[in-house]
Amino acid sequence: MEFAELIKTPRVDGVVLHRPFMPTVEGTLCLTGHHLILSSRQDNTEELWLLHANIDSTEKRFVGSLGTIIVKCKDLRVIQLDIPGMEECLNIASSIEALSTLDSVSLMYPFFYRPLFEVIEDGWQSFAPEESFRDLESMTDEWRLSEVNKDFSVCPSYPSLLTVPKDIDDESLCKAASFRHGGRFPVLSYYHKKNGMVMMRAAQPLTGTNGRRCKEDEKLINATLCAGKRGYIIDTRTIAVAQQAKARGGGFEQEANYPQWRRIHKAIERSNVLQDSLIKLVEACNDQSHSMDRWLSKLEASNWQSNVKEILTTACLAAQCIDREGASVLVHGTEGTDSTLQVTSLAQIILDPACRTIRGFEALIEREWLQAGHPFHQRCAQSAYSNGKPRSEAPVFLLFLDCVWQILRQFPCSFQFNENLLIMLFEHAYTSQFGTFLGNCVAERGKLQLSQKTVSLWSWVNRPQELERFLNPLYEPNNLVIWPSVAPQSLLLWEGVFLRWNRSTKCLDEAYQEMVHIIEYNKELQNKVNSLRRQLAQLETEDKMVADLK
Amino acid sequence: MEHIRTPKVEQVKLLDRFSNKSVIGTLHLTATHLIFVESNSTSAQEIWILHHHIASVEKLSLTTSGCPLLIQCRNFRLVHFVIPRERDCHDIYSSLLRLLRPVSYDELYAFSYNPKQNDQQREEGWQLIDLAAEFERMGVPCDQWQLTDVNREYKRLPPNICIGLVKSVVPHLLCFYNVLRGGKRLYLFVSCLQAAVCRCSQPLSGFSARCLEDEHMLQAISKANHNSRYVYVMDTRPKLNALANRAAGKGYENEDNYSNIRFQFVGIENIHVMRGSLQKLLEVVGTRSLSMTDYLVGLENSGWLRHIKAIMDAAIFLAKAVTVEGASVLVHCSDGWDRTAQVCALGSLLMDPYYRTIKGFMVLIEKDWISFGHKFADRCDQLDPDPKEVSPIFTQFLECVWQLTEQFPQAFEFSEWFLIQIHEHVHSCQFGNFLGNSQRQREVLQLKERTYSLWAHLLSEKQNYLNPVYSPSFAESHPVLEPSTQACHFKFWRNMYHQYDRSMHPRQSILKQVLTFKESNRELEGTVQALKTKLQKFGVSTSPLKPQTPPRERSLPPRPQSLILGAPLLSRKEVQQEEDEEVFGEEAREDAPASTDGERTVEGSSATENGYGELTGSFGSKNEPAVVTLEFGVARMTC
């Protein structure tokens, strides 16, 4: 298919662009296969360069022959284009509509994007499972790397290499897989070096109404317990939801069959509820006419902050079981691809200082989200402005980022990265020129040949020029477990994302710059003192030598 | 001392407000403080509570472990003791009841507090803030305004209402003064446009009364300003309240009688509504295991942020009228000492960068709050109070300033700790500044001779209150602050209302960190200079270091030891370190870096303290010592 077929009017002059907190720009609007471009054709004037894929929804309005298109983006920005001429406006609107809702993945921009920078380190190769297994091997010999899922037949959403207990053979794994939703049998998620406890993740067991059991599954997870020790199963659903799941063939681990495990139910919402929550939150944030009462009640009604609190609490609970109770943990919800990953990845940020570095955080996202089979393509197809019927869209990843931001706010000196990295990841998860977040699982990405046909986000982020923007000047590495507060008073609305386009950040940015300046000046002074000391010491020894000679 | 029956009780348990944690210690009762000293000798935490800070003491019903005593403080601290013997508990309780209700001013702490200063130092402390100089700074007197001492004897104005007219400043027209206005107080702010902000109380207009002198006076205010043909009159009350006042012979200006005014209601609620609002807010945020829904609904129902926004809106209206239209504004409410003080002070802060400095902020409080007679004694419950007079009016003002510091991080020379510290001392009665209800009362009490000034104390530890990212040049680019008043930009001030609930706080403070860097920069600059001087002796010339900050005094003031009396900024960390065995402060990290894979958490935050969820049925295996589970309070149930 040619993109040109979809572009009815490629160019319109005299278009006026309105954006909140920015001066209006008048210029020429151009449509290309992947971009909407507005150029004033003057130097020094900022141009709009918007990916069609970033457009969540559009609205048209007409006053006489002047048409107005309101473009609502997946990064939550809302812009307005005034287009002279009714026909032009209609054409542009329908072209944008068509181009922003292309179904085929292979028509996406990442397949057409050619980097303007030199790829020094190929991000597709940066985080191989073998590498993280090598780290594990240096700490314990109780685990092995299994190739049972080599052709993705055991579990389509798992990667080909999986870390499993050494004593469990591939045959048992297959049997355990047949007992878990989507074949997602329990695999290692995190090894806590301090006390050797582990966190595993899986999907729900398929007990059904008649209480089916699977010896291999029981053996598999029991193999992770030390003699005489017990563990916790954290089910991210309430007991009622878990009970209902039985009717559809799912269920939860029965105490009788898993006597060494204690089950704890938490209440993390399912994805369709989360999408609704996001839509309501963004609507509340964008309406600026609110009285205080209305704002607070709409914020409350969106339930977004409640979701943040629930997810963070569950992650802290998992971390607490591992670090404080000295117990191993298995986390699962229904499919094991959403709330499960939120919990396991956040728990690692709390427990493992390595995950708080830029590199470690990237590895975490690669491991716990991309390779673990979070369906990014489905979840991030639409954002808060989608007016169509939601299919399987949900801000699962955004909620995870929000929780990370909350921890970052509470421990501003413990992270190597700053808020910008989190916002950047949010943007790229929804639309990107890079292939990293395309597809739903490793198998799909392989089929799409992403690593050959597209550029990895990590190739770009990890360039020193880019990294600078994401560095936290306050970072002081520490090897500690960081326990965030989950009291509602301690959890804030993530303004950097949700109020990003509704406020002027000039004063805040300048203050941040001043802080960076103070810290850099400190380093500079320290270097200066050191070099002066050296110089002085040298002179003093020389002086002494001269004196001795005399 | 005669009220203290039991000066010391041992084996007292202190319960944490939000978790199941508790510590054992000894309770001491002194003439001025209630002191709790933790028994654990290695990490002895101390809590000092000034009697004046205690708002209420409650004896709860007896439990198996002892008699619980719940103490609520005006600085939002809440402590929960369990005293083993009921008799002791009762003694402490009845002593406190007496001690926290001083019957005369002489019993207040300020009259016994002695920071080891001589009389001259004391006097200098009181001279730090000079209002005459402040009016001079504003450009008064000038051709349009003059100073008057009409209220010299505090007589002109009805004694029951008139309290704190600044002696020297009233427009010359005041000689036409008539008692029509219930204690009309005026002051002015002269902007570059010659517009003035005046304040007063409501007119005694009733349904039809009028006063020609008052009308003349407003006309004179109008004429004094050539930029605008009219004067804004802001009635900061809701219209309904103002209407109700008419029945009592009071009310508001009739626009027909005052030809040159533009009248406007602003709608800030009265002291009773504000008192109720804060009470509701504190109830909500004091709830254990509070859910997000209850928190947000509670925040909304308390109306607290709505009131804060209303005050801010009014101040912005005032600032706009003066700076954009160049009009003079007359602000009043009912009595002219609560809402009026809030709006005038906040408006001044928005318009004049001077008030955003540490010294300027002190001047602002001295001028708009203290000298114009905000009834601190009544509002802050200093002496044998009437509960109906207590209201967090000044607290709201401080919070509005905090909201501004959040929006304009570089505009203020001080950080939020400065605001919190002022709030602390408004209630502490440790210094003389805020005692009494009016200037007149303060003179009768001879405060300047018998007590010390808070401002001198705060200035002596100025380093603790500096905002590290403050930029003096910000004032040039933003002479007038134009804050956003969108509802979503108003936040709950956690560091004020949860000042003492450390489980709520961010575990690492950016403010503290950047302040440390800034101090370190100053020291390093000194070191560089010293090294260079030494090098010069060897005949080496070095390029001069470009000074990035003007060199200031390098020695730091002594750091206060106590959490309550001292600056929370630095002592908080110390206390925290003592509080939790597992604490791992920042200094410690430097000593023992990378190898710390032990059970250490940043600044003592621990899992149980946060209450992520009850691990009901934790089952530590039998062969493992039960220390962990017991210590973290989760061994209460068995599987």
Side-chain angles (χ1 to χ4, degrees):
Chain A
M1 185 195 70
E2 285 294 318
F3 290 116
E5 290 168 20
L6 298 172
I7 304 171
K8 292 176 188 156
T9 303
R11 223 186 95 169
V12 187
D13 289 322
V15 174
V16 181
L17 165 72
H18 302 270
R19 287 170 293 185
F21 295 100
M22 289 203 223
T24 55
V25 181
E26 189 180 335
T28 306
L29 181 77
C30 297
L31 289 185
T32 71
H34 290 105
H35 285 96
L36 182 153
I37 301 161
L38 187 117
S39 166
S40 61
R41 306 205 172 184
Q42 276 161 8
D43 294 337
N44 305 327
T45 316
E46 206 195 330
E47 299 183 357
L48 180 72
W49 193 268
L50 189 73
L51 263 179
H52 293 313
N54 193 0
I55 295 170
D56 211 17
S57 71
T58 53
E59 279 169 30
K60 308 184 276 284
R61 275 205 304 256
F62 290 97
V63 179
S65 67
L66 181 77
T68 295
I69 304 178
I70 295 169
V71 179
K72 299 182 174 182
C73 304
K74 288 180 188 159
D75 60 12
L76 308 183
R77 168 173 32 165
V78 178
I79 58 174
Q80 185 186 326
L81 296 166
D82 293 343
I83 300 172
M86 186 177 294
E87 198 190 328
E88 281 85 352
C89 184
L90 282 171
N91 284 347
I92 295 280
S94 68
S95 305
I96 293 177
E97 176 86 32
L99 287 165
S100 61
T101 51
L102 291 179
D103 261 341
S104 164
V105 177
S106 58
L107 289 176
M108 298 279 204
Y109 185 54
F111 289 96
F112 298 82
Y113 170 75
R114 291 293 161 262
L116 293 170
F117 58 88
E118 193 195 343
V119 176
I120 303 161
E121 182 199 339
D122 183 5
W124 291 114
Q125 312 303 329
S126 294
F127 306 100
E130 294 90 340
E131 221 166 285
S132 55
F133 184 73
R134 224 167 293 139
D135 290 345
L136 179 70
E137 246 179 344
S138 68
M139 297 182 276
T140 170
D141 59 354
E142 300 194 345
W143 299 82
R144 69 182 181 95
L145 213 49
S146 165
E147 295 189 347
V148 65
N149 198 36
K150 200 166 50 194
D151 51 3
F152 306 108
S153 59
V154 177
C155 170
S157 62
Y158 268 166
S160 51
L161 289 174
L162 291 157
T163 311
V164 296
K166 198 177 61 184
D167 302 333
I168 306 295
D169 55 27
D170 283 356
E171 201 181 320
S172 310
L173 291 178
C174 292
K175 286 200 177 130
S178 65
F179 179 62
R180 293 275 172 178
H181 190 117
R184 293 176 70 92
F185 58 89
V187 294
L188 182 77
S189 162
Y190 171 67
Y191 180 84
H192 197 43
K193 194 174 158 191
K194 189 170 108 188
N195 57 10
M197 293 302 129
V198 297
M199 178 161 57
M200 287 173 299
R201 51 179 158 75
Q204 64 176 345
L206 302 174
T207 55
T209 39
N210 49 11
R212 234 181 97 205
R213 66 186 285 191
C214 171
K215 287 275 185 207
E216 286 77 10
D217 186 74
E218 291 159 26
K219 214 177 120 206
L220 169 58
I221 69 166
N222 286 340
T224 65
L225 296 175
C226 308
K229 289 277 245 178
R230 301 205 231 185
Y232 289 94
I233 294 171
I234 296 180
D235 192 326
T236 61
R237 306 162 295 179
T238 58
I239 180 79
V241 175
Q243 289 279 12
Q244 285 161 15
K246 281 183 174 176
R248 289 188 300 273
F252 52 86
E253 294 83 354
Q254 294 292 343
E255 283 89 348
N257 302 339
Y258 297 84
Q260 285 168 283
W261 295 85
R262 202 191 135 64
R263 219 176 53 245
I264 302 172
H265 287 275
K266 299 298 281 184
I268 300 182
E269 291 289 1
R270 301 238 334 132
S271 52
N272 54 342
V273 181
L274 298 180
Q275 181 69 7
D276 192 42
S277 170
L278 176 68
I279 291 171
K280 281 189 187 153
L281 174 72
V282 171
E283 195 188 300
C285 291
N286 283 350
D287 186 348
Q288 296 171 20
S289 59
H290 286 157
S291 72
M292 183 59 72
D293 289 2
R294 208 168 139 74
W295 156 246
L296 287 172
S297 91
K298 285 189 106 173
L299 179 65
E300 189 277 311
S302 81
N303 251 329
W304 183 265
Q305 294 294 93
S306 298
N307 289 321
V308 169
K309 179 170 155 61
E310 199 57 48
I311 294 165
L312 208 49
T313 308
T314 311
C316 290
L317 183 75
Q320 189 184 359
C321 291
I322 293 170
D323 186 70
R324 292 304 165 101
E325 300 293 308
S328 287
V329 172
L330 169 68
V331 183
H332 72 72
T334 306
E335 287 105 347
T337 54
D338 296 295
S339 57
T340 308
L341 305 183
Q342 288 172 329
V343 173
T344 57
S345 53
L346 285 168
Q348 290 180 52
I349 286 171
I350 293 164
L351 294 170
D352 185 2
C355 293
R356 298 173 222 142
T357 63
I358 291 187
R359 193 82 189 183
F361 190 64
E362 289 170 1
L364 180 79
I365 286 170
E366 186 72 35
R367 207 170 59 231
E368 289 298 300
W369 290 88
L370 292 162
Q371 291 174 11
H374 175 66
F376 276 100
H377 183 70
Q378 287 177 8
R379 297 286 180 256
C380 302
Q382 297 262 267
S383 168
Y385 301 118
S386 60
N387 32 27
K389 210 172 123 225
R391 285 163 297 179
S392 35
E393 293 82 5
V396 176
F397 187 62
L398 176 58
L399 268 165
F400 158 73
L401 294 175
D402 194 332
C403 292
V404 177
W405 180 80
Q406 304 286 351
I407 307 177
L408 173 64
R409 280 288 303 215
Q410 296 188 27
F411 297 89
C413 308
S414 297
F415 288 80
Q416 194 191 9
F417 52 87
N418 60 21
E419 182 182 6
N420 294 342
L421 183 79
L422 301 174
I423 297 174
M424 183 276 290
L425 286 170
F426 157 61
E427 290 173 346
H428 283 275
Y430 278 86
T431 20
S432 174
Q433 65 269 46
F434 303 106
T436 299
F437 291 107
L438 290 185
N440 288 315
C441 57
V442 175
E444 266 188 51
R445 283 183 203 110
K447 269 188 214 136
L448 289 166
Q449 295 179 293
L450 292 179
S451 60
Q452 291 101 52
K453 293 189 171 169
T454 72
V455 181
S456 161
L457 174 67
W458 313 130
S459 305
W460 173 70
V461 173
N462 287 332
R463 301 167 69 235
Q465 303 92 306
E466 297 301 328
L467 274 181
E468 209 161 297
R469 197 155 59 89
F470 303 122
L471 284 174
N472 176 7
L474 292 164
Y475 179 52
E476 280 176 25
N478 69 61
N479 266 358
L480 313 170
V481 175
I482 50 174
W483 299 108
S485 161
V486 294
Q489 297 96 313
S490 307
L491 302 178
L492 307 169
L493 177 71
W494 190 7
E495 297 182 14
V497 165
F498 299 111
L499 302 178
R500 182 178 177 189
W501 311 102
N502 307 336
R503 60 172 187 172
S504 158
T505 54
K506 195 167 157 281
C507 291
L508 302 178
D509 293 343
E510 283 169 2
Y512 184 80
Q513 281 312 318
E514 175 64 20
M515 183 185 83
V516 172
H517 173 74
I518 290 170
I519 296 167
E520 274 170 5
Y521 182 49
N522 189 265
K523 284 185 196 136
E524 196 182 306
L525 279 171
Q526 238 145 19
N527 291 339
K528 183 95 189 163
V529 165
N530 289 341
S531 82
L532 285 173
R533 282 216 172 106
R534 268 199 304 277
Q535 205 180 345
L536 191 65
Q538 205 181 352
L539 284 170
E540 272 168 353
T541 36
E542 276 170 21
D543 217 34
K544 202 159 161 272
M545 275 159 66
V546 172
D548 287 350
L549 281 174
K550 278 180 188 168
Chain B
M1 289 303 277
E2 69 272 22
H3 309 302
I4 300 172
R5 278 190 255 173
T6 310
K8 184 178 165 189
V9 186
E10 282 172 350
Q11 289 296 309
V12 173
K13 206 196 279 181
L14 171 68
L15 304 180
D16 187 88
R17 190 176 172 194
F18 292 104
S19 72
N20 296 324
K21 230 175 108 181
S22 67
V23 288
I24 303 281
T26 310
L27 202 60
H28 301 267
L29 193 59
T30 74
T32 53
H33 287 86
L34 180 71
I35 306 163
F36 176 81
V37 184
E38 203 183 318
S39 303
N40 190 332
S41 56
T42 51
S43 61
Q45 174 204 1
E46 280 182 24
I47 293 178
W48 288 57
I49 298 171
L50 197 60
H51 297 327
H52 297 309
H53 270 146
I54 299 177
S56 73
V57 190
E58 219 179 317
K59 216 174 83 179
L60 308 180
S61 53
L62 199 66
T63 66
T64 47
S65 56
C67 191
L69 194 66
L70 195 66
I71 296 174
Q72 237 166 338
C73 301
R74 298 196 175 94
N75 51 12
F76 311 117
R77 185 199 272 272
L78 192 138
V79 282
H80 193 163
F81 293 119
V82 179
I83 299 172
R85 289 172 53 208
E86 200 197 353
R87 220 194 113 73
D88 290 335
C89 183
H90 187 76
D91 281 354
I92 297 274
Y93 173 71
S94 42
S95 300
L96 281 179
L97 273 192
R98 174 59 191 84
L99 287 167
L100 69 89
R101 298 258 175 274
V103 285
S104 77
Y105 274 101
D106 291 349
E107 286 182 43
L108 294 180
Y109 186 36
F111 293 99
S112 58
Y113 172 69
N114 184 352
K116 301 202 177 62
Q117 286 179 357
N118 58 35
D119 284 352
Q120 199 200 335
Q121 284 168 314
R122 183 208 304 254
E123 213 172 293
E124 279 168 11
W126 281 111
Q127 281 161 2
L128 271 172
I129 305 299
D130 179 6
L131 280 187
E134 167 61 10
F135 283 108
E136 210 169 294
R137 192 188 69 83
M138 293 197 295
V140 178
C142 60
D143 56 345
Q144 299 295 339
W145 298 88
Q146 68 170 32
L147 304 177
T148 167
D149 57 356
V150 63
N151 197 34
R152 188 173 47 244
E153 306 292 328
Y154 301 108
K155 273 180 189 158
R156 275 300 179 110
L157 312 177
N160 57 335
I161 318 169
C162 149
I163 298 161
L165 179 73
V166 171
K167 238 197 288 209
S168 49
V169 186
V170 169
H172 61 280
L173 267 161
L174 200 69
C175 47
F176 293 118
Y177 198 86
N178 182 297
V179 285
L180 176 87
R181 256 177 213 257
K184 178 156 184 158
R185 279 149 299 142
L186 291 145
Y187 92 111
L188 58 157
F189 165 87
V190 182
S191 76
C192 51
L193 297 165
Q194 298 293 308
V197 176
C198 306
R199 52 185 282 179
C200 61
S201 59
Q202 66 185 338
L204 303 176
S205 55
F207 290 100
S208 58
R210 55 189 288 194
C211 166
L212 286 176
E213 287 81 357
D214 194 65
E215 290 160 24
H216 281 145
M217 184 143 169
L218 265 166
Q219 200 135 34
I221 292 173
S222 174
K223 276 188 184 149
N225 177 6
H226 305 302
N227 296 304
S228 176
R229 270 180 300 132
Y230 47 82
V231 178
Y232 276 104
V233 175
M234 279 174 78
D235 190 327
T236 55
R237 298 168 292 183
K239 187 171 183 186
L240 206 65
N241 298 25
L243 282 171
N245 263 302
R246 283 168 78 170
K250 301 164 191 169
Y252 56 91
E253 289 81 356
N254 183 342
E255 271 182 286
D256 299 340
N257 298 341
Y258 297 83
S259 53
N260 50 356
I261 66 165
R262 290 201 172 177
F263 188 84
Q264 176 85 33
F265 285 112
V266 180
I268 302 173
E269 299 287 350
N270 65 24
I271 58 166
H272 311 294
V273 176
M274 299 306 190
R275 178 178 58 240
S277 171
L278 179 66
Q279 207 164 2
K280 278 188 211 155
L281 178 81
L282 294 177
E283 252 168 54
V284 171
V285 299
T287 317
R288 277 177 77 156
S289 344
L290 181 64
S291 76
M292 187 58 81
T293 301
D294 290 346
Y295 168 65
L296 290 173
V297 169
L299 203 57
E300 181 195 337
N301 288 344
S302 77
W304 183 256
L305 287 176
R306 187 180 70 223
H307 300 315
I308 296 292
K309 180 167 150 51
I311 297 163
M312 195 80 101
D313 283 333
I316 292 168
F317 179 88
L318 170 68
K320 281 212 173 120
V322 173
T323 59
V324 179
E325 297 186 41
S328 292
V329 184
L330 176 69
V331 185
H332 73 75
C333 48
S334 298
D335 298 309
W337 52 52
D338 293 313
R339 292 170 266 212
T340 303
Q342 288 176 329
V343 173
C344 288
L346 202 59
S348 307
L349 196 76
L350 291 175
M351 290 184 276
D352 190 342
Y354 173 66
Y355 298 126
R356 300 174 215 146
T357 62
I358 287 188
K359 182 82 183 288
F361 193 66
M362 294 172 175
V363 169
L364 183 68
I365 291 177
E366 196 72 40
K367 170 168 73 85
D368 265 317
W369 291 90
I370 297 176
S371 75
F372 278 109
H374 176 67
K375 301 204 290 174
F376 279 106
D378 285 353
R379 299 293 178 259
C380 301
D381 198 8
Q382 285 170 356
L383 196 67
D384 194 24
D386 174 359
K388 282 212 178 93
E389 284 287 311
V390 179
S391 189
I393 301 301
F394 188 67
T395 310
Q396 285 182 319
F397 166 66
L398 292 178
E399 174 162 342
C400 288
V401 177
W402 176 78
Q403 302 280 2
L404 288 174
T405 65
E406 285 286 291
Q407 287 195 32
F408 304 99
Q410 291 193 283
F412 293 84
E413 190 188 4
F414 47 85
S415 69
E416 66 176 322
W417 290 118
F418 184 59
L419 301 174
I420 292 174
Q421 200 65 3
I422 291 174
H423 183 260
E424 189 86 7
H425 285 298
V426 166
H427 293 94
S428 75
C429 303
Q430 186 179 345
F431 297 94
N433 307 58
F434 300 105
L435 298 191
N437 279 326
S438 68
Q439 205 72 326
R440 182 186 195 172
Q441 201 176 1
R442 277 176 211 116
E443 275 177 28
V444 172
L445 287 168
Q446 295 177 299
L447 288 178
K448 292 196 178 175
E449 289 78 48
R450 298 171 65 201
T451 70
Y452 294 86
S453 167
L454 170 66
W455 307 132
H457 170 75
L458 290 179
L459 280 177
S460 75
E461 7 176 278
K462 189 176 165 188
Q463 293 288 357
N464 292 347
Y465 308 121
L466 290 177
N467 168 13
V469 295
Y470 170 60
S471 155
S473 63
F474 189 87
E476 286 155 31
S477 51
H478 301 77
V480 180
L481 295 184
E482 290 169 47
S484 153
T485 56
Q486 272 182 50
C488 53
H489 289 132
F490 288 83
K491 294 176 225 162
F492 172 69
W493 192 5
R494 183 183 53 206
N495 285 359
M496 171 65 104
Y497 304 106
H498 286 300
Q499 192 190 161
Y500 293 96
D501 305 313
R502 72 191 183 87
S503 62
M504 297 280 176
H505 289 280
R507 302 311 150 78
Q508 295 165 327
S509 149
I510 296 179
L511 171 67
K512 203 164 71 183
Q513 205 72 10
V514 180
L515 266 182
T516 316
F517 273 116
K518 209 143 188 199
E519 275 177 29
S520 153
N521 284 357
R522 254 198 307 278
E523 278 162 27
L524 285 170
E525 274 171 359
T527 318
V528 167
Q529 280 312 323
L531 284 169
K532 279 188 177 166
T533 326
K534 277 191 191 169
L535 276 170
Q536 264 158 11
K537 282 184 196 156
F538 288 97
V540 181
S541 66
T542 45
S543 57
L545 189 80
K546 44 181 195 285
Q548 305 220 350
T549 44
R552 269 177 250 170
E553 74 272 36
R554 225 171 299 125
S555 63
L556 298 176
R559 289 281 142 72
Q561 289 300 307
S562 147
L563 182 68
I564 306 163
L565 305 178
L569 173 65
L570 289 130
S571 45
R572 214 169 71 84
K573 184 164 75 183
E574 289 154 26
V575 171
Q576 280 184 0
Q577 269 186 308
E578 286 158 7
E579 247 175 348
D580 196 323
E581 288 172 32
E582 300 212 351
V583 157
F584 183 44
E586 271 153 47
E587 301 97 328
R589 211 180 300 152
E590 285 161 25
D591 300 336
S595 64
T596 55
D597 49 358
E599 288 190 320
R600 286 166 159 177
T601 59
V602 174
E603 298 212 358
S605 52
S606 77
T608 31
E609 197 174 88
N610 292 308
Y612 300 131
E614 301 299 316
L615 288 179
T616 48
S618 160
F619 41 67
S621 60
K622 293 287 183 294
N623 49 10
E624 193 182 304
V627 186
V628 175
T629 37
L630 278 180
E631 187 183 345
F632 294 102
V634 280
R636 278 166 296 112
M637 293 170 77
T638 45
C639 190

